Amino acid sequence: MSKITVSTLNKMKAEQQKITALTAYDASFAKLFHDNGVDVILVGDSLGMVLQGGDDTLGVTNQDIAYHTRSVRAGSRDLFVIADMPFMTYSNPEQSCKNAAELMRAGANMVKLEGGEWLYDSIVALTQQGIPVCGHLGLTPQSVHVFGGFKIQGRSDEQAQKMIHDAKALEAAGAQMVVLECIPSELAKLITDALSIPTIGIGAGKLTDGQILVMHDLVGISAGYIPKFSKNFLLETGNMPDAVKKYCADVKNGAFPSTEHEFK
């Protein structure tokens, strides 16, 4: 497997090759994913729920993400690693650059920020300093208390138009990828078609440029609630390597996500 870069991912979008992504938090799973076809690993602040047992992601610190990014990078030198910037670590350009630098030094190839047009100045500053940025629109878990829970976003015309506007603003600021979470499939397609940078969907249908799942959902070991958009690939295959291979194959050939995993 050759090293995956931003250029690799842009080429995949241009050639309509689906991008496969999973969350990971340690070296062992990073190596497993590397060896079985995953293109991108996200060191997600989801660790606050699936590893730390929290009700949301808000308790995760930049030091937590840096620690797990270092661990993931040790498991794979070639995978493209995105590190989440946690809650309130990027409220202004100066803070964004300081905290993103810590994650890049830990081994990230890119940092991910939740939010729309208001991030413009921070994204400009980050990219000027040589830090690639992934945006995140739709259900942004750090805003869970504003949304009143984990709810589907973008169903009204007003919300949809704002999200399209925000996506274009993120790209104009210099973002090189956008995650779309829990939005109607039709809206995800509109955004994907409007951008020249790759979109990665989670609960956003199959017409994005790639897919991501939380690894615990992939193997059916998430505590409590299992999202509609997830699938237990371990149940189908019986072992971890084959579960990862099956997920990657199904994303690449369009079998996953299916209509049962999407929102209207």
Side-chain angles (χ1 to χ4, degrees):
M1 178 179 183
S2 57
K3 186 178 286 293
I4 295 174
T5 67
V6 167
S7 297
T8 310
L9 301 175
N10 285 333
K11 186 170 184 283
M12 291 176 75
K13 177 182 174 88
E15 296 178 352
Q16 298 186 321
Q17 298 178 36
K18 295 291 187 182
I19 298 164
T20 58
L22 288 171
T23 65
Y25 316 96
D26 63 34
S28 297
F29 278 101
K31 185 176 188 308
L32 175 72
F33 296 164
H34 169 274
D35 292 346
N36 291 283
V38 176
D39 301 312
V40 175
I41 284 178
L42 170 66
V43 182
D45 60 3
S46 49
L47 69 87
M49 301 174 74
V50 297
L51 296 188
Q52 297 174 345
D55 292 330
D56 52 43
T57 66
L58 306 188
V60 177
T61 67
N62 213 59
Q63 291 71 34
D64 289 336
I65 297 291
Y67 170 85
H68 288 282
T69 299
R70 222 172 274 114
S71 300
V72 163
R73 178 52 72 200
S76 171
R77 296 294 170 190
D78 296 328
L79 279 181
F80 193 83
V81 176
I82 304 173
D84 257 341
M85 295 196 69
F87 179 64
M88 291 301 294
T89 62
Y90 49 96
S91 58
N92 58 63
E94 182 180 4
Q95 184 193 37
S96 300
C97 289
K98 177 179 180 293
N99 288 319
E102 181 179 13
L103 302 183
M104 295 297 286
R105 283 193 290 266
N109 299 111
M110 176 180 275
V111 297
K112 181 167 75 64
L113 290 68
E114 295 183 8
E117 188 176 21
W118 69 270
L119 288 169
Y120 189 96
D121 290 344
S122 289
I123 294 173
V124 169
L126 287 165
T127 54
Q128 284 177 341
Q129 297 299 320
I131 299 175
V133 174
C134 176
H136 186 156
L137 295 170
L139 173 55
T140 47
Q142 292 173 20
S143 301
V144 62
H145 294 304
V146 174
F147 296 149
F150 295 95
K151 297 181 178 181
I152 312 309
Q153 302 298 307
R155 278 181 162 157
S156 72
D157 287 343
E158 183 181 3
Q159 279 188 338
Q161 289 306 312
K162 183 179 186 308
M163 205 176 299
I164 292 169
H165 173 81
D166 282 340
K168 291 178 178 178
L170 294 177
E171 180 174 18
Q176 294 179 287
M177 184 184 295
V178 177
V179 169
L180 303 174
E181 180 169 358
C182 289
I183 66 173
S185 301
E186 185 177 334
L187 175 57
K189 183 182 188 305
L190 289 173
I191 294 172
T192 299
D193 291 346
L195 301 181
S196 63
I197 58 177
T199 60
I200 307 295
I202 177 167
K206 67 168 64 177
L207 298 177
T208 52
D209 297 310
Q211 297 292 327
I212 185 166
L213 282 181
V214 173
M215 56 167 280
H216 294 68
D217 293 338
L218 175 91
V219 296
I221 59 171
S222 293
Y225 174 70
I226 301 295
K228 171 184 175 174
F229 55 75
S230 69
K231 179 180 177 181
N232 183 346
F233 284 86
L234 182 60
L235 191 64
E236 189 174 337
T237 59
N239 65 76
M240 291 286 292
D242 285 346
V244 177
K245 287 177 185 172
K246 176 69 171 166
Y247 165 71
C248 291
D250 283 5
V251 169
K252 298 283 188 187
N253 65 30
F256 178 82
S258 66
T259 53
E260 68 184 283
H261 305 112
E262 66 181 15
F263 302 104
K264 301 294 186 183

